[in-house]
Amino acid sequence: MVHMARPLLLLLAFLLLADAETPPRFTRTPVDQTGVSGGVASFICQATGDPRPKIVWNKKGKKVSNQRFEVIEFDDGSGSVLRIQPLRTPRDEAIYECVASNNVGEISVSTRLTVLREDQIPRGFPTIDMGPQLKVVERTRTATMLCAASGNPDPEITWFKDFLPVDTSNNNGRIKQLRSDIDFSLSSLSLLFNVLSPSVMS
């Protein structure tokens, strides 16, 4: 019986640890952005924990509340996107805070939004030279969306679907992102959607 006690105790300790609650931990944090008045800004924040953390967006210490401010939650509940449109200067220039909390703990991260007037846009600021167009395709066919932007240094292009960032690494290969450098000042991205019928998707 003495020799059996240690394995049983170890197993019990493992089960207790497996069921233990964990405080929030950020898996993706928002980054500082500079936008143009009349444009749009999207901040992304995701966190993990047990229980699943609740994410709240604050501006100057208060929960965001404005018709131009929209919070879109990820389908898996891992976080949300704070979307501001249209941007206004100087009223939208501020420090924004993403707060993730559960009954174990609370964490927060801050990010800054700078909004420029048209006459303040610096040389080399990113511009979209060709935006994606509306596509109508048959089911099971492939849809290609194109976007080209220029700037100095070369801008990074991020795709969104229904205001949420597109994850090209976790979609069963249905969505692929291809990059082509036309020259030093123009970058182009192509997004391929494999459109499936409901019977195939199920």
Side-chain angles (χ1 to χ4, degrees), residues 11-21:
L11 178 60
L12 179 60
F14 175 78
L15 292 175
L16 289 175
L17 288 173
D19 293 335
E21 296 180 335

Side-chain angles (χ1 to χ4, degrees), residues 121-196:
I121 299 176
R123 188 182 184 91
F125 194 82
T127 60
I128 295 179
D129 302 293
M130 181 178 62
Q133 303 295 319
L134 178 65
K135 293 280 186 177
V136 179
V137 296
E138 297 179 5
R139 289 175 178 172
T140 72
R141 300 290 183 176
T142 298
T144 303
M145 311 292 288
L146 298 175
C147 181
S150 58
N152 187 18
D154 289 341
E156 178 181 347
I157 299 175
T158 303
W159 288 90
F160 285 75
K161 178 178 179 289
D162 297 331
F163 303 141
L164 293 174
V166 174
D167 185 359
T168 57
S169 63
N170 186 26
N171 55 77
N172 298 321
R174 291 187 57 242
I175 304 176
K176 296 179 181 180
Q177 183 170 300
L178 308 175
R179 182 184 180 94
S180 62
D181 294 324
I182 300 176
D183 53 42
F184 290 104
S185 62
L186 180 63
S187 297
S188 176
L189 275 180
S190 174
L191 200 65
L192 303 179
F193 288 87
N194 183 15
V195 184
L196 301 180

Side-chain angles (χ1 to χ4, degrees), residues 64-104:
V64 294
S65 177
N66 191 295
Q67 288 184 340
R68 295 181 298 106
F69 289 64
E70 184 179 6
V71 176
I72 306 99
E73 296 184 356
F74 284 85
D75 294 336
D76 59 3
S78 63
S80 63
V81 172
L82 173 62
R83 178 181 170 89
I84 308 172
Q85 184 184 29
L87 293 175
R88 294 287 182 260
T89 182
R91 70 179 71 174
D92 292 338
E93 288 194 326
I95 299 294
Y96 294 84
E97 184 182 36
C98 171
V99 181
S101 62
N102 60 15
N103 56 13
V104 184

